[in-house]
Amino acid sequence: AQKITQTQPGMFVQEKEAVTLDCTYDTSDPSYGLFWYKQPSSGEMIFLIYQGSYDQQNATEGRYSLNFQKARKSANLVISASQLGDSAMYFCAMSPLPGAGSYQLTFGKGTKLSVIP
Amino acid sequence: DVKVTQSSRYLVKRTGEKVFLECVQDMDHENMFWYRQDPGLGLRLIYFSYDVKMKEKGDIPEGYSVSREKKERFSLILESASTNQTSMYLCASKRTGSYEQYFGPGTRLTVT
């Protein structure tokens, strides 16, 4: 079984500052993928970034980076230079075998990020 | 661009009604998923399908069924809607061999 824990129900960050959203996970699978999704108030889930468990380097996508610490089982999302449009719910998720078959995502409960002007 | 569409953004139904939620994807993805999202609980998987006419139960299948007669369409069925099924329902699709799931805009269902 897989489990994702997001301990921050809500976060505030000043515009243009960096913010880290925490995510820890638990799994017995030898290989897995870790994901972050953004959900604005409009409701759609937007894929942000992916990290494979065997990837040596931390994933980056523009202003998003994933701080992957395998020994600590953590996969924190770092957003640099926050913008007002970053205000949204953020979900951490994992799957047992990235890209293989139809394996479903297991989601955390989410963190609501509010960017203050 | 991958597009996943859902038949309704908002739906209001009465207790006991049979409810159909439709999801269509246009990228020939093999895999499709239905999630429900509730405040404080995140997204939970109801059912998924890895091929036409194939389905697998997710974490919370009770009270739901699904149908996949064509590759592009995955339907979620509430046989007899109950108030505890009031929720946001999200559909997603994924190509076998890739890692990204693409989500639809969601259907906010209210059962009164």
Side-chain angles (χ1 to χ4, degrees):
Chain A
Q2 300 184 319
K3 186 178 179 182
I4 294 282
T5 303
Q6 294 180 255
T7 57
Q8 306 153 313
M11 291 275 289
F12 291 90
V13 63
Q14 203 75 37
E15 194 178 6
K16 300 180 184 176
E17 301 274 310
V19 62
T20 298
L21 306 184
D22 294 340
C23 172
T24 57
Y25 62 90
D26 193 21
T27 182
S28 56
D29 293 296
S31 63
Y32 47 89
L34 294 154
F35 305 77
W36 278 92
Y37 280 84
K38 173 185 178 181
Q39 187 180 41
S41 56
S42 53
E44 76 274 23
M45 294 287 284
I46 302 167
F47 167 76
L48 295 178
I49 197 166
Y50 165 81
Q51 176 86 42
S53 59
Y54 286 107
D55 292 341
Q56 296 296 318
Q57 291 190 319
N58 286 342
T60 60
E61 289 286 347
R63 294 187 299 112
Y64 304 107
S65 60
L66 199 153
N67 184 1
F68 179 47
Q69 298 188 48
K70 196 170 183 178
R72 293 186 175 187
K73 293 189 174 180
S74 73
N76 298 339
L77 177 71
V78 180
I79 305 174
S80 63
S82 297
Q83 302 171 356
L84 295 178
D86 293 335
S87 294
M89 283 291 289
Y90 288 82
F91 291 95
C92 181
M94 71 182 304
S95 67
L97 288 173
S102 65
Y103 288 105
Q104 68 268 29
L105 291 168
T106 299
F107 285 85
K109 296 181 179 181
T111 295
K112 185 173 182 180
L113 178 67
S114 299
V115 180
I116 304 165
Chain B
D1 280 350
V2 174
K3 194 168 183 181
V4 181
T5 57
Q6 295 183 229
S7 49
S8 305
R9 288 304 302 270
Y10 300 93
L11 206 54
V12 180
K13 295 292 182 180
R14 293 200 179 274
T15 301
E17 279 192 81
K18 191 169 186 176
V19 181
F20 292 86
L21 302 182
E22 304 285 341
C23 176
V24 178
Q25 50 94 5
D26 66 358
M27 284 301 291
D28 203 36
H29 286 174
E30 297 85 358
N31 308 286
M32 297 187 74
F33 308 81
W34 275 107
Y35 296 89
R36 68 175 279 176
Q37 182 181 9
D38 301 288
L41 296 178
L43 278 75
R44 294 177 292 167
L45 182 68
I46 305 171
Y47 268 97
F48 66 96
S49 168
Y50 52 89
D51 201 352
V52 175
K53 296 191 186 295
M54 306 303 289
K55 60 186 179 184
E56 293 285 343
K57 292 180 180 179
D59 299 319
I60 52 165
E62 296 79 18
Y64 303 94
S65 61
V66 290
S67 172
R68 192 158 179 212
E69 296 296 318
K70 293 185 178 181
K71 192 174 186 180
E72 67 271 18
R73 187 180 299 269
F74 192 34
S75 302
L76 181 69
I77 304 157
L78 287 65
E79 294 289 342
S80 177
S82 63
T83 54
N84 62 13
Q85 293 178 310
T86 291
S87 187
M88 169 74 100
Y89 290 87
L90 289 156
C91 174
S93 72
K94 185 180 88 72
R95 184 181 307 283
T96 297
S98 72
Y99 55 77
E100 184 178 347
Q101 287 192 19
Y102 296 85
F103 283 81
T107 295
R108 190 169 293 280
L109 172 67
T110 301
V111 182
T112 61

